[in-house]
Amino acid sequence: MTDAKDTRPDVGDQFPHMTLITPDGDEFSTASLAGKPAAVFFYPKDNTPGCTTEAKDFTALAPAFADAGVAILGISKDPPKSHAKFIEKQALAVPLFSDTPADAGNGLAEALGIWVEKNMYGRTYMGMERTTFLIGADGRIARVWRKVKVKGHADAVLEAARTL
C-alpha cells in the first residue's frame, strides 16, 4: 500500500479543480482562480481558537494580499451556515468555502491528502490537517505549508506571496 504522503500534490504540481460551496450556498470552482495567484488555507473547524486566530490574521493582512494581487481563500469541511456565522461573529474579510461533506470522500481536502486520521485523547477520527497552498497564476502549487503553526503563519504566506 502506498503511503498517502507519497502521492500528495506538492510544489510544481497543478492545484486540483474542485467545486466548493460559499456561505450563501452557491457553488465556487477553483478553476475560476486561473490566471490569478491565490493563498488557500485549510483549517479544521470554525470558531475554534486556532482557526479563529488564523482567519483573523489573514483578514488583517487582506489589503496587503490584495496589493500583491493574491486572492485569499479559507476552506474547511464545516457547512455553509457555520461559515456564515463564523464570518459574522469574527468580522472576517476573507472568503470561506465548504469542501464537500466529510463522508463523501471526494473533496478537495481528500485530493490534496490533507483529510487525515487524527488522534485526540485516545480517540481516532478523520480531520483537516491545517495546511496552506500558495498557487501561482499558472495554477501550479508554488509553496506548501503543512501542519501549520498559526502564530506568524499569515505573515509568512504574505511574504512568499509577494515573490510571485
Side-chain angles (χ1 to χ4, degrees), residues 13-16 30 33 36-40 42 70-71 73 133-143 145 164:
D13 292 337
Q14 191 72 33
F15 192 77
T30 58
L33 296 172
K36 183 172 185 177
V40 183
F42 289 83
V70 178
L73 289 77
F133 293 87
L134 185 60
I135 305 161
D138 61 358
R140 297 197 173 277
I141 299 169
R143 180 93 188 261
W145 292 263
L164 291 178

Side-chain angles (χ1 to χ4, degrees), residues 39-161:
V40 183
F41 68 99
F42 289 83
Y43 64 97
K45 189 129 182 82
D46 292 341
N47 286 304
T48 56
C51 298
T52 298
T53 298
E54 185 177 26
K56 286 179 133 185
D57 288 351
F58 276 108
T59 290
L61 295 175
F65 275 95
D67 288 347
V70 178
I72 307 171
L73 289 77
I75 301 172
S76 80
K77 291 283 189 183
D78 289 315
K81 286 183 181 181
S82 176
H83 285 333
K85 289 177 185 175
F86 186 36
I87 290 167
E88 183 177 342
K89 180 178 180 182
Q90 302 299 336
L92 301 177
V94 293
L96 302 180
F97 299 92
S98 296
D99 200 355
T100 57
D103 59 359
N106 59 355
L108 186 54
E110 288 87 354
L112 293 166
I114 59 174
W115 185 248
V116 298
E117 188 174 277
K118 294 179 153 189
N119 292 295
M120 185 183 291
Y121 305 122
R123 186 176 74 98
T124 302
Y125 63 97
M126 295 302 289
M128 188 77 73
E129 179 179 271
R130 190 182 308 275
T131 307
T132 300
F133 293 87
L134 185 60
I135 305 161
D138 61 358
R140 297 197 173 277
I141 299 169
R143 180 93 188 261
V144 181
W145 292 263
R146 297 192 190 280
K147 298 183 181 180
V148 167
K149 302 294 181 215
V150 173
K151 187 173 182 176
H153 176 62
D155 291 308
V157 175
L158 176 59
E159 185 177 323

